[in-house]
Amino acid sequence: MLNSITSPADIKQLDIAQLQSLAEEVRTFLIENIQKTGGHLAPNLGTIEMTIAMHYVFDTPYDSFVFDVGHQAYTHKILTGRLNKMHTLRQKGGLSGFTKRSESEHDSFGAGHSSTSISAALGIAIGNGINNSNGKSIAVIGDGALTGGMSFEALNHAGDSDADLLIILNDNDMSISKNVGAMNKYLTKLISGKVYSTMKSKSLGFLEKMPKIHEFAKRSEEHLKGMVLPSTLFEELGLDYFGPIDGHDLPTLIQTLQNLKQQTKPRLLHIITKKGYGLETAENDPCKFHGVAPASLNASNLPSYSTVFGTWLNNTAFHHKNLIAITPAMCTGSGMSEFEKNYPKQYFDVGIAEQHAITFAGGLATQGLKPIVAIYSTFLQRGYDQLIHDIALQNLGVIFAIDRAGLVGSDGATHAGSFDLSFLRCIPNLTIMAPSNAMQMYQMFNTAFETNSTICIRYPRGTSDIQNYITDEKISLGKAKIILEGFNVAIFAFGVMVKSALAAGKKLGATVVDMRFVKPLDEALIIKLASSHVKLISIEDNAITSGAGSAISELLHQKNINTPLSILGLPDKFSEQGEQQELYDLYGLNETGIINAARS
């Protein structure tokens, strides 16, 4: 059946029994396909029935679906004509792992980061009204994404509007009690139906002429619904609330969505789903199966940089009770799972709230504590004002452990840490370090912990080739290190670019410097080498514009040094998706790229 679905119009020809079969086919296909390509497994298994019901009731692209984060939209891709391209998912030149406007007219809004869907869908809904369009705007947001402050800003605006907006709250952190499931279904069907809505609007309109009775009737209705439905928060924000219903029950989903399609006020449907639904191992451990690597990817025994950070946290917290670790909902990804178990009183997961995480850390720092904010480079962008205004301006002793810096691979542009050096370097009171291996990273965190200022340590996704990295050693602030003595050409390498620089340097007979610091630069060493070499090269896994190489260029200009400098880094465009090494090769961030720059 699945192979006959080339557009959403095809599923509208199916009956409920066929839709159930289709859901199982999609589930089987996703399990098999994601094992080959890698990707988000558990979230997509949990949203199959919901997505089928949405496409059965609504008509994209005339109606707009805005998936929050977008990592649960694989079924949506399959139903909108991309089945035959799913084998290219997350690969170079293939389908994105998220929704992407340039990929399909059915992807009404691009995604990748959390908590953006309600704002975007509200914009689309109000735009529809301005353009006199009857198109429906539907936001799909998970309970996790609802912890983001932007979601509440959007809910506040939506409730104060008359936009034709439907919000589907996909709640996968609760279970449905079987003994009240039937009642929930009945109540939701009842209050989402036309008879109830018409009676409610006409009766309240009549009662408005009698203010005291009107207020009494309104409160009575709220209290009655409040006894059986968790609607208070959303109703107070001005949205009509419906649910909760079973998000795997296709007939109920379809009938409820059909009812809600007829309404035009801001409204919220609360559905309950189970992450990993239909695959027992994923249901039992949805965190482990949230994102999976391709089956062909050989497991490495080398430590990941996230693991190194987690080890440092545990070892340091054993001796220092003032260490406080903070994560905006990325405990496992940032390597903090063991720390959470071992030091629960020193650990804070604040949810998807990067802005709060940063300012919260600032408050802790004023009380003599040593907060470490573990955050992906791409998510640090979301807390930029807080970093400037609340941390750096006050020169507070907060450490930022910036994971996934540089090119992240198959997640693509939405998750690439391509800009952190550029947007961090311009901020006063900031020290920026970039380790080239696991041991150096450990040394840098030792140094940062003993330093009472704002320090950023940025490191990549992936593994280090050093297994024995635990040390008590520190490094000198602002000092680079020559790791290969040569002549004519000097290569300034930042972070994990050191490995390629060393390989190229050996072939060129060049001097190679592990810069270690982006801010402050080791100015004395740069000036010395610029005076004794005829060609300079810098290499970084960050945007060339305003990056580390730009810092070297600015220094040479200030000192009136005219030694030619070639800056290797990421071009002025958003990165593609693909394996990390594929992308390094694409952008010339490799041994060959350095040699070509030296000879040009």
Side-chain angles (χ1 to χ4, degrees):
M1 192 185 303
L2 187 56
N3 291 325
S4 66
I5 305 297
T6 59
S7 75
D10 294 328
I11 73 168
K12 298 180 189 299
Q13 311 305 316
L14 306 178
D15 59 32
I16 294 296
Q18 290 173 311
L19 291 177
Q20 299 279 14
S21 297
L22 177 64
E24 291 310 311
E25 285 191 36
V26 171
R27 183 164 282 108
T28 300
F29 174 84
L30 285 177
I31 293 169
E32 293 174 353
N33 195 74
I34 294 173
Q35 284 180 337
K36 298 172 185 175
T37 63
H40 293 92
L41 181 59
N44 282 286
L45 294 181
T47 55
I48 293 171
E49 289 82 5
M50 176 197 75
T51 310
I52 289 174
M54 288 169 62
H55 275 294
Y56 188 80
V57 173
F58 297 98
D59 301 288
T60 60
Y62 183 70
D63 296 323
S64 302
F65 294 169
V66 183
F67 291 92
D68 208 280
V69 184
H71 65 350
Q72 78 285 54
Y74 293 2
T75 302
H76 166 72
K77 289 176 184 277
I78 291 170
L79 299 179
T80 52
R82 286 170 272 183
L83 173 67
N84 293 331
K85 293 183 179 179
M86 287 297 288
H87 67 281
T88 70
L89 189 71
R90 295 161 52 85
Q91 297 172 28
K92 188 172 180 293
L95 292 180
S96 170
F98 308 95
T99 50
K100 191 174 183 179
R101 279 174 56 83
S102 60
E103 188 177 288
S104 171
E105 64 177 351
H106 297 280
D107 291 1
S108 61
F109 202 82
H113 289 186
S114 174
S115 311
T116 63
S117 60
I118 303 176
S119 297
L122 178 60
I124 292 171
I126 290 177
N128 284 340
I130 293 172
N131 294 328
N132 296 315
S133 168
N134 292 321
K136 301 291 182 177
S137 181
I138 300 97
V140 179
I141 185 168
D143 54 298
L146 204 61
T147 64
M150 188 174 172
S151 296
F152 286 94
E153 294 174 21
L155 285 170
N156 185 54
H157 182 188
D160 194 40
S161 74
D162 59 356
D164 187 354
L165 170 69
L166 170 61
I167 301 167
I168 298 177
L169 172 57
N170 174 31
D171 185 346
N172 51 41
D173 198 34
M174 296 170 58
S175 61
I176 301 176
S177 177
K178 292 182 180 179
N179 61 337
V180 298
M183 179 61 76
N184 276 334
K185 292 179 187 177
Y186 171 75
L187 286 169
T188 302
K189 288 179 182 177
L190 177 66
I191 65 175
S192 66
K194 183 179 290 186
V195 174
Y196 176 86
S197 299
T198 303
M199 287 176 60
K200 178 181 175 182
S201 60
K202 288 188 175 181
S203 62
L204 290 180
F206 171 74
L207 290 170
E208 280 177 356
K209 299 172 183 177
M210 298 175 284
K212 290 185 179 180
I213 299 177
H214 171 263
E215 187 63 27
F216 172 77
K218 191 174 181 181
R219 289 183 180 276
S220 297
E221 181 203 28
E222 289 173 356
H223 291 159
L224 179 63
K225 289 170 65 179
M227 286 190 289
V228 289
L229 301 172
S231 63
T232 307
L233 169 64
F234 301 108
E235 294 279 4
E236 288 296 327
L237 286 170
L239 291 93
D240 288 340
Y241 172 94
F242 306 95
I245 61 172
D246 184 350
H248 302 296
D249 182 342
L250 264 170
T252 299
L253 279 168
I254 289 171
Q255 183 170 346
T256 304
L257 288 174
Q258 285 172 335
N259 288 338
L260 293 176
K261 185 178 181 179
Q262 305 308 313
Q263 299 190 22
T264 58
K265 290 180 61 180
R267 53 214 183 275
L268 183 142
L269 173 62
H270 184 179
I271 71 170
I272 309 295
T273 62
K274 191 172 184 64
K275 267 191 174 182
Y277 185 74
L279 181 63
E280 187 175 0
T281 51
E283 286 186 24
N284 294 336
D285 194 351
C287 186
K288 179 180 177 180
F289 288 89
H290 176 80
V292 297
S296 59
L297 199 64
N298 294 324
S300 172
N301 292 322
L302 296 171
S304 70
Y305 284 94
S306 300
T307 298
V308 175
F309 170 65
T311 303
W312 177 85
L313 270 184
N314 273 283
N315 292 346
T316 307
F318 182 79
H319 300 287
H320 299 278
K321 300 305 177 186
N322 66 330
L323 183 154
I324 305 295
I326 304 164
T327 175
M330 295 304 295
C331 174
T332 303
S334 296
M336 302 170 73
S337 297
E338 285 300 312
F339 182 85
E340 178 191 12
K341 296 175 186 175
N342 297 335
Y343 302 97
K345 292 184 179 180
Q346 293 171 251
Y347 168 84
F348 293 90
D349 183 343
V350 300
I352 302 175
E354 294 87 358
Q355 295 173 321
H356 166 63
I358 293 171
T359 304
F360 172 60
L364 290 168
T366 66
Q367 299 305 301
L369 299 168
K370 195 68 179 181
I372 293 92
V373 179
I375 190 167
Y376 287 12
S377 172
T378 186
F379 299 143
L380 179 59
Q381 297 164 186
R382 296 162 67 99
Y384 192 51
D385 179 60
Q386 287 68 27
L387 174 58
I388 295 173
H389 182 270
D390 299 334
I391 306 298
L393 183 62
Q394 303 182 86
N395 199 23
L396 295 175
V398 177
I399 299 173
F400 289 89
I402 306 174
D403 202 340
R404 304 317 199 256
L407 295 171
V408 295
S410 54
D411 278 338
T414 58
H415 284 62
S418 306
F419 312 113
D420 53 62
L421 295 184
S422 301
F423 68 67
L424 290 172
R425 195 172 67 79
C426 61
I427 304 174
N429 294 338
L430 225 60
T431 298
I432 308 170
M433 306 186 197
S436 59
N437 58 55
M439 180 177 285
Q440 192 178 94
M441 176 177 167
Y442 207 95
Q443 293 169 338
M444 287 180 175
F445 275 105
N446 288 342
T447 303
F449 194 76
E450 299 297 327
T451 306
N452 190 31
S453 62
T454 309
I455 294 185
C456 299
I457 302 174
R458 58 102 71 177
Y459 47 93
R461 181 178 193 172
T463 59
S464 168
D465 54 6
I466 293 180
Q467 287 185 310
N468 300 316
Y469 53 83
I470 299 174
T471 177
D472 292 328
E473 294 178 358
K474 303 179 183 65
I475 62 174
S476 300
L477 283 169
K479 294 297 179 182
K481 182 180 180 180
I482 296 176
I483 56 176
L484 183 66
E485 294 275 6
F487 56 93
N488 288 334
V489 176
I491 305 170
F492 302 113
F494 293 88
V496 292
M497 295 291 98
V498 166
K499 186 175 181 180
S500 294
L502 188 58
K506 290 177 179 177
K507 292 185 177 180
L508 292 166
T511 297
V512 179
V513 183
D514 182 348
M515 290 302 293
R516 306 198 294 188
F517 289 85
V518 178
K519 186 177 184 179
L521 286 173
D522 190 338
E523 295 186 357
L525 181 61
I526 294 170
I527 293 169
K528 177 184 175 182
L529 295 179
S531 302
S532 58
H533 292 71
V534 297
K535 172 78 175 181
L536 306 176
I537 299 171
S538 74
I539 182 168
E540 63 195 284
D541 56 343
N542 184 84
I544 291 174
T545 305
S546 301
S550 290
I552 294 175
S553 179
E554 291 163 13
L555 173 65
L556 297 177
H557 178 73
Q558 291 168 4
K559 302 298 181 182
N560 292 316
I561 297 172
N562 298 317
T563 309
L565 169 67
S566 292
I567 301 175
L568 302 183
L570 300 176
D572 188 23
K573 63 179 183 179
F574 289 105
S575 67
E576 295 187 34
Q577 65 188 37
E579 295 301 319
Q580 274 180 303
Q581 193 56 53
E582 273 187 316
L583 299 179
Y584 289 145
D585 294 342
L586 175 66
Y587 299 124
L589 301 181
N590 54 16
E591 179 183 335
T592 302
I594 297 170
I595 291 173
N596 290 339
R599 292 173 176 169
S600 65

